[in-house]
Amino acid sequence: MGALQSLPGQPEYIDLAEKTGFSFEQIGVLHKRFKQLSHNGETLRRDHFNEIPDLACNPIRAQIIEAFFDRRNFRQNGEGTVEEIGFEEFLVVMSHFRPPSLHMTEEQRENVRTEKLRFLFNMHDTDNDGTITLEEYRHVVEELLSRSGALGKDTAKSIADAAMLEVASISMGHMEPDEFYEGITFEHFLKLLRGFEIEAKMNIRFLNMDTPTLCK
Amino acid sequence: MPSRTEHHSPAGVGRSLPERGLLLLAVLVLLEGSVLPLGAASSPDTNHQGNVDNHNEGNVGHNVTTKKPFPVLSLDYHHIQTPFEISLWVLLASLMKLGFHLIPRLSGIVPESCLLITVGLLVGGLIKLAGEKVPPVLDSRLFFLCLLPPIILDAGYFLPIRPFMENLGTILMFAVVGTLWNAFFIGGLLYAVCQIQPSNPSSLHQLELLPCLLFGSIVSAVDPVAVLAVFEEIHINELLHILVFGESLLNDAVTVVLYHLFEEYSGVGTVTVLDGFLGVICFFVVALGGVLVGAIYGILAAFTSRFTSHTRVIEPLFVFVYSYMAYLSAEMFHLSGIMALIACGAVMRPYVEANISHKSHTTIKYFLKMWSSVSETLIFIFLGVATVDGQHDWNWTFVTVTVILCLVARVIGVVGLTYIINKFRIVKLTTKDQFIVAYGGLRGAIAFSLGFLLDNDHFPKRNMFLTAIITVIFFTVFVQGMTIKPLVELLAVKKKQEAKRSINEEIHTQFLDHLLTGIEDICGHYGHHHWKDKLNRFNKKYVKKCLIAGERSKEPQLIAFYHKMEMKQAIELVESGGGVKLPAAMPSTVSMQNIQPKKPPPAKTAERALPQLPKGREEEIRKILRSNLQRTRQRLRSYNRHTLVADPFEDGFNELLLKKQRMIELEKKIKEMSNYLTVPAAPPDSPTMCRARLASDPQTYSMKPGSDNMPSIQVDLASPQSPDSVNMLDEFKLANQQRRQEEEDQGLMMKPPSSTGGHNKSGEEDGGRDQQKLMRCLSDPGPSADEDEDEPFLP
């Protein structure tokens, strides 16, 4: 509670807490981190993210950073990308990784699952046309395998092709030889990952964070 | 019993099979019962014979030797008694297992463990009725050194590492704190109950606190054998399964320490604070020491497997022997042998599986399953036999209080611990989960064996303890074991996902891992994912290079998974009759063409004009292929013990050459054919392909140089357009393919409209690889498409 006294803008916190579902403590800690990343500025830009050293060895770094600047993740039904984000947008994107609470109805759980899957979908669908085409999926697999050694693009292509084939089989079932499968729509994506239990997996522990553990 | 079956067998064919089983059982039991007196009878004879001879040797001058006729046929049971009896028991156990599955309704209602205990009771009763002394079957040494290790190794080797690690905190809490709570609660309250009848001084009053606590610690541990036996049949969801099962494995350390502590000091009578403190330290030493010993042996095994590429036959032996030695070494120091075994199996598995051949992998899997199955069956039967045999001291108060306290302690423990644990878990445990965890705390043979080990002098109440332990075991296994299945249905607990692991899920699992690590880095929070990522990178950079042979060390997990999946599909296709009916996994007619992006119009129209193969030609090709496949099958049938591989120089090699010549002509005419493969593949020099080619087949080392122009028939296996086509490969082609990079006259190639030139190459190579894998499969039935144990490389 002491930390909260020193942080400005408490009425804003109430607003943010309502919007994102974080507690005051969590918002406080995230705000500290935000300030650290932005060098006490008001907004974050892509190069601020690029400065994080641990992120450098992550194979899908570019896509993660893009996700923060993607309007579709701001829950305002926007589209396109922005160049810089404020604390509110930062918090909204982070809220996608909040764990579901213990007592939830089945419907609420469905909503949480849909939301998280939407986030993933947006990450894959880079050109924002509502479908993940074969090219985009190939790009995803290539990025995943990029840091794992030079095994050539062919393997990534084959894996992506096989995966796409699987999606098509699951979603479309029967197709004539000359029909063409456009790409994975959001409904197909939901169907594909139905058994994946994403609401149990796509979570970050936002508790127990205090300043000494924050990395530089 | 025999007369009853004879009366029934004319009554109907359908009833004869289980009746036959029962008849067999009866015969076996009677045989067993009868050989024991025979054994007793024959040995004096031989002894007597020996005595007579000695006597004769001694009295040289006496010459009283009566010349006996030369014994044409004699009975010497004593000579083979022990192995014979062991084999008889194992045979009995296996026949029982067979028998139960012949009676379908019974196995649905009653779990196997209950049936086996019942059989044990019957056998023990029969032996006793026959007037013989029941053999002391559940000898603790036999149990701990022979019967328990296979089960634990099987569990440890196939332990699903990912859910285990994710829930490790919860599992440790239940295992350590839960068991401690149970032990002290049960022991303490039992002592209190024993003392509460001052007016009526019963034998219970002699019971001191320390023996009570010892009893509490023996009876409080959840037993892995019983849990495995029951949970295997109810197919509960992965989280609950790993929680209860993990707890049963990890509480061994606690049990060992508590048991030794109380046993040591029961004689003395007091336990001081210092002893308690030492006990705590001992716990850490036992647990961590066990894991360390296991890990060391695991790494040794992994390192050894790196060099086994020339002697594939003994690969499984290394796995088994190293693990068993880990267990024995840990037991030598009184460390936790169970944890050593688990650590050994879990540590060695990813590396060993990367190094060994496919056949060795199958061997290891089947041997482990077989041994653990037989062990489990034997344990339950012996439990029944030992119940009949043991000297029981039934005390109503003690036994009923024990049973009630066990239940109560378990429930309170689970509920209390979950309340604390849920504060730290992301995915909280619901009430349903807690109920299943509490209800699934079964006790089993380990408790009995530990009780059996007690010394009667130090523990005058040993028999009473044993009786109570057996009652608790029976209660948990029968009552809880039988009712847990209907309860699971009633409470609608989530069941295990039967869906096969798909490539999409694998991609997204990897993706999520990296995503969450990235988000954690952005948050500045060094959480689970951060450390897991660091461990993975360390593993990839240093450990894999040491422990995995060859190129395979660099293969990322996604690719390893993908190749495994491909292999499974290929095996499935062969098993389903060469593609006549499509495998169930892909019931759709979607193929690669449907997802390839549309071509610009000119190229598209050109490829649309597909030359159709004339019907007659197709038939000819098919006939040739079929007959060649038969040749291949014949070739593969012969092998010798050292190579386990067919010698292609036998069986009509020359005819094959002639056929090949004919094929060359044919393929020249049908070269423009195109029908694409549905499953794309790895490039020719990828690690898996090299390994797959070189690894299983020592034949590939001694390649004939002059076989360059052996063409191969490669026809697509699974495309919907050619349902009867079959894959075949010339073995010589194998080695050559890997040496040659350039495109070559590959024989009959059927490809669909291909989008890019690059796809052609990968298609052919895939053809080569698929076929070569199929060749392996033809001689070896291979594993079933069983996803359960096949975990990815390193999760």
Side-chain angles (χ1 to χ4, degrees):
Chain A
M1 274 322 218
L4 207 51
Q5 311 292 2
S6 56
L7 289 166
Q10 206 166 333
E12 285 173 22
Y13 276 30
I14 303 177
D15 203 24
L16 287 172
E18 257 179 69
K19 232 190 202 170
T20 59
F22 282 122
S23 71
F24 289 148
E25 265 173 342
Q26 291 169 336
I27 296 181
V29 178
L30 283 171
H31 201 150
K32 263 206 189 101
R33 180 62 178 168
F34 182 83
K35 283 201 175 334
Q36 201 180 34
L37 287 177
S38 67
H39 307 297
N40 282 326
E42 282 300 315
T43 58
L44 275 180
R45 271 187 293 275
R46 285 187 178 83
D47 21 320
H48 289 134
F49 281 105
N50 286 332
E51 285 166 2
I52 305 175
D54 289 315
L55 214 48
C57 31
N58 198 318
I60 55 170
R61 180 172 70 123
Q63 286 155 309
I64 299 178
I65 297 177
E66 265 316 302
F68 274 91
F69 294 92
D70 190 344
R71 277 237 191 93
R72 290 174 293 174
N73 294 331
F74 294 163
R75 299 220 185 114
Q76 288 161 351
N77 296 327
E79 281 194 357
T81 61
V82 291
E83 280 307 312
E84 47 185 35
I85 54 171
F87 182 56
E88 188 178 324
E89 285 89 16
F90 182 74
L91 214 55
V92 169
V93 172
M94 283 296 188
S95 71
H96 283 100
F97 295 92
R98 229 167 35 85
S101 46
L102 179 58
H103 304 289
M104 265 190 154
T105 64
E106 207 36 58
E107 196 191 317
Q108 284 172 327
R109 207 174 281 276
E110 264 310 306
N111 286 343
V112 169
R113 192 180 305 155
T114 312
E115 197 182 287
K116 292 189 197 274
L117 283 176
R118 184 90 223 174
F119 186 85
L120 278 187
F121 188 81
N122 291 341
M123 279 185 86
H124 295 326
D125 182 23
T126 44
D127 62 358
N128 207 353
D129 61 354
T131 57
I132 305 177
T133 60
L134 186 61
E135 272 311 312
E136 288 170 342
Y137 213 33
R138 272 186 196 158
H139 182 69
V140 170
V141 180
E142 268 164 22
E143 288 293 304
L144 268 181
L145 294 176
S146 59
R147 297 290 165 131
S148 315
L151 279 176
K153 289 192 139 200
D154 279 340
T155 322
K157 224 189 266 184
S158 327
I159 296 179
D161 288 346
M164 201 69 170
L165 188 61
E166 199 181 79
V167 181
S169 323
I170 295 176
S171 323
M172 304 293 276
H174 181 78
M175 278 181 86
E176 297 304 318
D178 52 354
E179 270 184 84
F180 176 62
Y181 182 64
E182 291 289 340
I184 312 178
T185 62
F186 188 53
E187 286 75 38
H188 294 169
F189 195 66
L190 280 176
K191 200 171 169 188
L192 182 70
L193 293 180
R194 200 188 314 143
F196 199 51
E197 289 199 5
I198 192 136
E199 72 273 13
K201 296 191 181 164
M202 189 166 140
N203 299 312
I204 294 276
R205 220 178 277 273
F206 285 109
L207 320 157
N208 306 335
M209 288 196 315
D210 37 44
T211 337
T213 65
L214 292 182
C215 56
K216 299 296 175 294
Chain B
M1 219 195 268
S3 53
R4 199 160 53 95
T5 51
E6 271 148 29
H7 178 256
H8 274 249
S9 43
V13 182
R15 303 196 33 190
S16 61
L17 209 49
E19 303 294 348
R20 268 195 222 133
L22 282 171
L23 176 61
L24 207 53
L25 159 67
V27 165
L28 218 55
V29 168
L30 285 175
L31 182 66
E32 192 146 354
S34 59
V35 291
L36 294 170
L38 259 181
S42 67
S43 33
D45 272 345
T46 51
N47 283 344
H48 184 65
Q49 198 90 351
N51 278 342
V52 168
D53 287 352
N54 284 341
H55 187 71
N56 289 335
E57 309 278 302
N59 312 349
V60 168
H62 247 264
N63 249 350
V64 210
T65 50
T66 50
K67 184 166 184 286
K68 292 195 194 56
F70 185 74
V72 175
L73 188 65
S74 55
L75 181 69
D76 186 4
Y77 179 66
H78 192 67
H79 186 58
I80 49 114
Q81 183 177 4
T82 317
F84 191 78
E85 285 184 351
I86 295 175
S87 309
L88 217 51
W89 278 114
V90 174
L91 195 58
L92 174 70
S94 318
L95 285 171
M96 282 301 102
K97 248 184 132 66
L98 271 184
F100 293 146
H101 290 281
L102 288 174
I103 314 175
R105 265 189 33 186
L106 197 60
S107 53
I109 305 172
V110 186
E112 221 173 75
S113 39
C114 305
L115 291 170
L116 290 169
I117 295 187
T118 322
V119 168
L121 286 171
L122 278 173
V123 170
L126 279 170
I127 294 184
K128 229 182 181 159
L129 274 178
E132 288 307 320
K133 181 179 172 318
V134 177
V137 277
L138 209 51
D139 177 20
S140 289
R141 272 194 73 201
L142 173 71
F143 177 74
F144 280 113
L145 293 182
C146 299
L147 292 178
L148 191 60
I151 302 179
I152 305 293
L153 179 60
D154 181 37
Y157 195 77
F158 293 115
L159 192 69
I161 298 278
R162 206 188 167 98
F164 187 75
M165 285 300 169
E166 280 175 10
N167 295 299
L168 191 61
T170 315
I171 293 175
L172 278 175
M173 273 290 268
F174 277 128
V176 178
V177 180
T179 312
L180 279 173
W181 157 259
N182 276 353
F184 283 103
F185 186 77
I186 295 174
L189 277 187
L190 259 180
Y191 179 66
V193 164
C194 288
Q195 301 294 323
I196 62 168
Q197 294 174 315
S199 56
N200 188 8
S202 69
S203 57
L204 285 180
H205 282 213
Q206 297 168 9
L207 208 50
E208 313 222 347
L209 179 62
L210 279 176
C212 274
L213 287 175
L214 177 61
F215 177 74
S217 66
I218 294 177
V219 92
S220 64
V222 178
D223 187 79
V225 179
V227 165
L228 260 179
V230 169
F231 270 53
E232 211 170 58
E233 300 180 3
I234 61 178
H235 299 300
I236 209 165
N237 68 41
E238 201 179 48
L239 172 67
L240 287 177
H241 186 267
I242 199 73
L243 280 182
V244 182
F245 184 58
E247 180 195 345
S248 69
L249 290 175
L250 294 186
N251 65 19
D252 181 59
V254 180
T255 313
V256 164
V257 171
L258 281 179
Y259 181 80
H260 283 303
L261 186 69
F262 290 132
E263 201 202 3
E264 275 287 317
Y265 294 116
S266 285
V268 182
T270 52
V271 176
T272 63
V273 176
L274 179 65
D275 296 326
F277 186 63
L278 284 176
V280 170
I281 298 191
C282 184
F283 165 71
F284 284 108
V285 168
V286 161
L288 296 174
V291 170
L292 190 67
V293 168
I296 292 177
Y297 274 99
I299 301 221
L300 277 176
F303 191 65
T304 312
S305 71
R306 189 180 161 179
F307 302 106
T308 55
S309 44
H310 297 269
T311 42
R312 292 286 178 190
V313 189
I314 55 172
E315 271 172 345
L317 191 69
F318 285 120
V319 171
F320 301 138
V321 172
Y322 272 115
S323 314
Y324 194 50
M325 286 199 43
Y327 180 75
L328 293 175
S329 308
E331 287 290 325
M332 181 168 70
F333 293 109
H334 279 302
L335 303 173
S336 167
I338 290 185
M339 293 183 82
L341 261 184
I342 302 281
C344 186
V347 163
M348 86 164 108
R349 190 176 174 214
Y351 308 108
V352 162
E353 293 218 328
N355 284 328
I356 61 178
S357 71
H358 186 65
K359 282 182 185 154
S360 297
H361 170 81
T362 311
T363 310
I364 293 178
K365 182 164 137 177
Y366 276 115
F367 260 87
L368 279 178
K369 295 287 175 206
M370 178 186 82
W371 273 332
S372 67
S373 179
V374 169
S375 258
E376 191 183 295
T377 316
L378 275 176
I379 288 178
F380 282 117
I381 291 185
F382 286 171
L383 207 53
V385 172
T387 311
V388 171
D389 171 46
Q391 310 120 315
H392 291 298
D393 180 8
W394 180 270
N395 185 313
W396 275 103
T397 327
F398 192 76
V399 171
T400 44
V401 168
T402 308
V403 173
I404 295 176
L405 277 182
C406 279
L407 284 174
V408 168
R410 178 84 183 152
V411 170
I412 298 180
V414 168
V415 170
L417 281 176
T418 315
Y419 178 71
I420 302 175
I421 289 170
N422 268 347
K423 293 208 200 311
F424 297 100
R425 278 181 69 89
I426 295 185
V427 179
K428 321 257 181 220
L429 295 174
T430 63
T431 322
K432 261 193 239 173
D433 296 337
Q434 291 173 37
F435 176 74
I436 298 291
V437 171
Y439 208 67
L442 306 171
R443 275 53 166 189
I446 292 186
F448 181 78
S449 306
L450 284 176
F452 204 77
L453 274 176
L454 289 175
D455 194 354
N456 221 339
D457 303 322
H458 287 173
F459 301 96
K461 292 284 165 197
R462 174 177 172 268
N463 293 329
M464 192 171 70
F465 285 176
L466 279 179
T467 313
I469 293 175
I470 288 190
T471 315
V472 172
I473 295 178
F474 272 45
F475 182 80
T476 54
V477 171
F478 277 90
V479 174
Q480 286 179 238
M482 277 206 270
T483 54
I484 199 167
K485 195 162 186 181
L487 274 174
V488 161
E489 303 283 337
L490 193 69
L491 292 175
V493 180
K494 246 192 305 185
K495 289 285 192 85
K496 186 156 82 160
Q497 301 273 23
E498 290 299 342
K500 244 157 78 130
R501 241 187 122 159
S502 70
I503 185 85
N504 276 295
E505 290 196 353
E506 184 64 24
I507 291 178
H508 281 99
T509 312
Q510 295 265 300
F511 191 80
L512 255 186
D513 272 343
H514 289 299
L515 174 64
L516 292 173
T517 311
I519 298 284
E520 275 191 0
D521 290 332
I522 293 178
C523 276
H525 174 54
Y526 281 160
H528 287 181
H529 295 95
H530 182 92
W531 294 117
K532 199 160 78 159
D533 191 54
K534 270 216 159 78
L535 183 67
N536 275 337
R537 266 186 280 139
F538 171 74
N539 184 35
K540 190 159 60 174
K541 208 162 161 198
Y542 299 110
V543 184
K544 277 192 196 176
K545 289 219 168 70
C546 286
L547 298 179
I548 299 181
E551 281 302 305
R552 198 90 200 274
S553 55
K554 297 209 196 70
E555 197 178 53
Q557 182 191 333
L558 186 59
I559 296 186
F561 176 84
Y562 174 64
H563 290 325
K564 226 189 234 182
M565 202 188 70
E566 263 197 322
M567 175 88 140
K568 283 209 174 89
Q569 277 182 354
I571 293 176
E572 260 177 40
L573 281 164
V574 171
E575 282 183 350
S576 71
V580 173
K581 56 180 198 304
L582 292 167
M586 296 237 274
S588 67
T589 56
V590 180
S591 69
M592 284 303 284
Q593 308 161 240
N594 295 111
I595 59 175
Q596 297 302 333
K598 288 192 166 63
K599 298 281 103 203
K604 200 171 169 193
T605 46
E607 281 157 307
R608 273 272 169 90
L610 198 58
Q612 283 295 332
L613 190 61
K615 260 303 181 189
R617 274 282 158 70
E618 250 185 52
E619 272 314 302
E620 210 182 348
I621 295 169
R622 287 208 187 109
K623 238 191 292 173
I624 293 171
L625 293 171
R626 272 203 211 98
S627 60
N628 270 303
L629 185 62
Q630 271 179 346
R631 289 253 163 233
T632 314
R633 283 215 166 106
Q634 282 164 10
R635 275 194 290 142
L636 284 174
R637 228 183 287 132
S638 65
Y639 63 90
N640 66 33
R641 209 178 43 210
H642 299 288
T643 60
L644 276 184
V645 155
D647 191 343
F649 293 105
E650 304 174 9
D651 290 340
F653 177 58
N654 290 325
E655 289 93 304
L656 198 67
L657 272 174
L658 287 171
K659 287 230 162 69
K660 291 289 157 58
Q661 296 295 340
R662 254 196 282 155
M663 234 72 80
I664 300 176
E665 268 103 57
L666 260 175
E667 76 73 353
K668 281 205 176 79
K669 292 169 193 161
I670 314 183
K671 238 192 119 189
E672 310 85 336
M673 281 313 301
S674 36
N675 211 2
Y676 222 171
L677 292 149
T678 54
V679 179
D685 53 350
S686 92
T688 310
M689 286 179 77
C690 285
R691 170 184 154 270
R693 285 199 187 105
L694 281 175
S696 323
D697 201 350
Q699 240 358 299
T700 55
Y701 292 123
S702 53
M703 258 324 120
K704 309 293 286 173
S707 48
D708 285 343
N709 10 358
M710 277 297 129
S712 69
I713 315 328
Q714 294 175 8
V715 179
D716 172 31
L717 187 66
S719 80
Q721 283 87 342
S722 58
D724 287 338
S725 55
V726 108
N727 262 328
M728 231 209 53
L729 180 65
D730 180 353
E731 277 182 33
F732 296 96
K733 201 72 175 142
L734 291 171
N736 293 329
Q737 255 182 353
Q738 104 216 19
R739 288 195 219 120
R740 268 178 305 201
Q741 293 303 319
E742 67 274 7
E743 202 88 11
E744 216 223 344
D745 217 337
Q746 297 271 333
L748 228 51
M749 286 297 289
M750 318 242 286
K751 294 194 208 19
S754 61
S755 44
T756 56
H759 269 119
N760 272 344
K761 186 164 164 41
S762 64
E764 285 162 16
E765 306 302 353
D766 168 60
R769 210 170 123 259
D770 255 342
Q771 290 148 14
Q772 177 250 319
K773 278 180 179 157
L774 288 168
M775 288 293 276
R776 304 272 169 273
C777 304
L778 286 171
S779 61
D780 166 21
S784 59
D786 192 355
E787 300 292 332
D788 289 346
E789 307 92 9
D790 281 325
E791 283 291 299
F793 201 73
L794 235 195

